[in-house]
Amino acid sequence: MTAQDFILKSYNSNVENGSVKWASPSNIALVKYWGKKEGQIPENPSISFTLSDCKTITQVTFSKKTGNNFSFDVYFEGEKNEAFKPKIQTFFERIETYVPFLKDYYFKIETSNTFPHSSGIASSASGMSAIALCLMDIEQSLSKVEVDNDYFNQKASFLARLGSGSACRSIEGELVVWGNNESAEGSDLYGVKFDGELHPNFHEYQDAILLVDKGVKQVSSTVGHKLMFDHPFAKERFSQAHNNLAKLIDVLISGDLKAFVEIVENEALTLHAMMMTSMPYFILMKPNTLEIINKIWEYRAKNMSNICFTLDAGANVHVLFPKAEKEQVYEFIKSELVAYCQNGHYICDSVGNGAKRL
Ligand code: DP6
């Protein structure tokens, strides 16, 4: 597939109005996307678990309009929200070539998250993928050509990527690869569902998100990705991501949990190492992030557990563990880790199957 294949060629502009609604999940990267080229093209391949419960629910109601401009309003949790508009305006500008009906309609975008707004969890992946899916759904109701499910998902992911890179990994489950690579089917343009036979060890893998710092991110991901331009270790990092992806693909099939832990933690710490060694440099972990990591290592050694952690570009900790360890690990979280969470807050999630039409 090339970008050209995603251009909608003809559509029926007689459709006056309509409404669509989608729920789209967040995802957590195991091999991280950090660094991008022009046009939201990743510098290296990434792979993520799609989450089950952390989702954005978006309804888009559209009605015919005249004039040659984008016209839309955004409602977040029932209230009109001006702050989200610039991001969506930019998104519309980037995707107009592919969904040329955007200026023919007024869009009312009503959105809400299943996770608390001020949790410090990035909602751009679930938020952008939910809008992309709604627009694909609208495209289907206007289009003269019926497309299959694969094309629908690919184009939804392609559009979502233009909103936020990691959003392209939120359309399907349980794992999605994004970026050209030598080890798994993948594309720089959209996320591809991991099609290997996933070892049962990874079914319903658990992700407890420990909210260490619910504040606004110190570094937005857009700024963060730019730090990889001229980064002294960029070349090595991008090649490491290819190697880690290759190893992880084998592990997902073999079920080798020890190797899984090693790759995932290595990726998380490398992401933060890149931020610490860029110019300007940042430390996004908080003291409690480190306390939690040390506790996880202690618990793993003592209990022969396969618990591990990963991090996004912030202080919160994603605690990953097999379903078989669920009871014991939640006991451990409650007794030893909650103390390091802001107001004792954490979110229990697990690997899910992707977005759903509502
Ligand atoms: C650290 O997808 O938020 O979470 O493409 O600029 O919107 P933009 O960036 P974004 O970056 C996510 C970075 C990450 C790692 C990852 O999810 O792979």
Side-chain angles (χ1 to χ4, degrees):
M1 281 287 192
T2 67
Q4 292 290 321
D5 298 318
F6 294 121
I7 299 176
L8 176 64
K9 306 259 163 36
S10 68
Y11 60 97
N12 177 359
S13 49
N14 295 328
V15 177
E16 283 295 325
N17 51 48
S19 183
V20 293
K21 193 173 184 179
W22 281 80
S24 191
S26 185
N27 69 72
I28 178 67
L30 304 172
V31 172
K32 308 288 182 182
Y33 148 57
W34 198 242
K36 63 178 164 184
K37 303 176 201 157
E38 189 64 32
Q40 300 278 104
I41 299 298
E43 287 279 12
N44 65 259
S46 57
I47 185 168
S48 51
F49 272 142
T50 306
L51 295 183
S52 167
D53 294 339
C54 285
K55 289 182 284 208
T56 296
I57 295 158
T58 298
Q59 176 160 20
V60 177
T61 308
F62 58 102
S63 51
K64 202 76 199 273
K65 73 160 188 69
T66 51
N68 190 30
N69 60 328
F70 296 124
S71 173
F72 63 92
D73 285 304
V74 187
Y75 291 78
F76 180 64
E77 275 155 18
E79 308 245 330
K80 204 166 183 175
N81 186 305
E82 296 298 326
F84 290 158
K85 283 191 87 172
K87 203 160 185 199
I88 294 180
Q89 174 80 25
T90 308
F91 179 46
F92 278 12
E93 285 162 11
R94 286 185 192 159
I95 65 173
E96 196 198 354
T97 313
Y98 308 101
V99 278
F101 54 84
L102 288 183
K103 287 182 176 160
D104 298 343
Y105 292 93
Y106 160 77
F107 299 97
K108 182 178 184 192
I109 303 167
E110 293 169 279
T111 184
S112 61
N113 295 331
T114 57
F115 46 90
H117 177 45
S118 56
S119 58
I121 296 191
S123 57
S124 65
S126 54
M128 284 297 171
S129 55
I131 302 185
L133 284 155
C134 288
L135 293 176
M136 257 326 274
D137 207 346
I138 296 171
E139 168 172 318
Q140 275 306 280
S141 60
L142 308 183
S143 172
K144 294 172 177 154
V145 186
E146 214 172 294
V147 298
D148 62 16
N149 205 34
D150 283 350
Y151 181 88
F152 185 96
N153 285 338
Q154 278 168 2
K155 184 164 173 184
S157 173
F158 173 88
L159 296 175
R161 184 195 101 242
L162 292 169
S164 175
S166 56
C168 80
R169 299 188 312 237
S170 274
I171 308 294
E172 295 180 90
E174 306 164 76
L175 285 131
V176 175
V177 177
W178 171 36
N180 294 336
N181 72 90
E182 316 71 34
S183 329
E185 204 193 319
S187 163
D188 279 352
L189 298 180
Y190 49 86
V192 177
K193 183 180 156 74
F194 170 64
D195 67 350
E197 196 167 329
L198 188 63
H199 191 279
N201 279 352
F202 297 106
H203 288 160
E204 290 178 67
Y205 219 70
Q206 303 291 305
D207 180 7
I209 309 162
L210 307 188
L211 306 176
V212 172
D213 183 15
K214 304 192 214 167
V216 176
K217 280 187 182 177
Q218 235 186 85
V219 187
S220 73
S221 43
T222 310
V223 171
H225 289 289
K226 287 203 183 117
L227 299 174
M228 292 307 283
F229 283 128
D230 298 330
H231 193 295
F233 309 136
K235 202 165 154 247
E236 277 304 313
R237 159 60 197 153
F238 300 143
S239 102
Q240 176 200 36
H242 281 268
N243 291 335
N244 275 345
L245 179 67
K247 285 195 251 166
L248 190 63
I249 296 288
D250 288 345
V251 161
L252 292 169
I253 295 164
S254 71
D256 182 347
L257 290 167
K258 294 246 160 326
F260 177 83
V261 163
E262 250 175 43
I263 299 164
V264 168
E265 292 189 347
N266 176 245
E267 275 289 316
L269 293 177
T270 300
L271 170 70
H272 282 256
M274 289 300 110
M275 285 180 257
M276 287 194 246
T277 50
S278 57
M279 198 56 94
Y281 39 80
F282 297 93
I283 300 181
L284 300 185
M285 289 188 257
K286 297 280 183 209
N288 281 353
T289 312
L290 289 177
E291 295 286 358
I292 291 170
I293 291 175
N294 281 311
K295 286 276 177 192
I296 288 174
W297 284 348
E298 229 176 76
Y299 176 90
R300 186 162 75 218
K302 243 196 232 156
N303 298 281
M304 312 257 287
S305 164
N306 291 299
I307 188 174
C308 71
F309 70 87
T310 189
L311 306 165
D312 267 342
N316 296 334
V317 183
H318 287 251
V319 186
L320 301 176
F321 47 97
K323 194 185 178 201
E325 292 189 38
K326 191 170 171 180
E327 233 168 88
Q328 307 89 288
V329 170
Y330 272 114
E331 272 312 309
F332 161 61
I333 289 175
K334 277 185 234 154
S335 63
E336 306 226 21
L337 302 185
V338 165
Y340 302 110
C341 299
Q342 207 176 340
N343 305 323
H345 283 169
Y346 62 99
I347 295 173
C348 309
D349 210 337
S350 60
V351 172
N353 292 314
K356 277 197 183 68
R357 187 179 209 270
L358 300 176

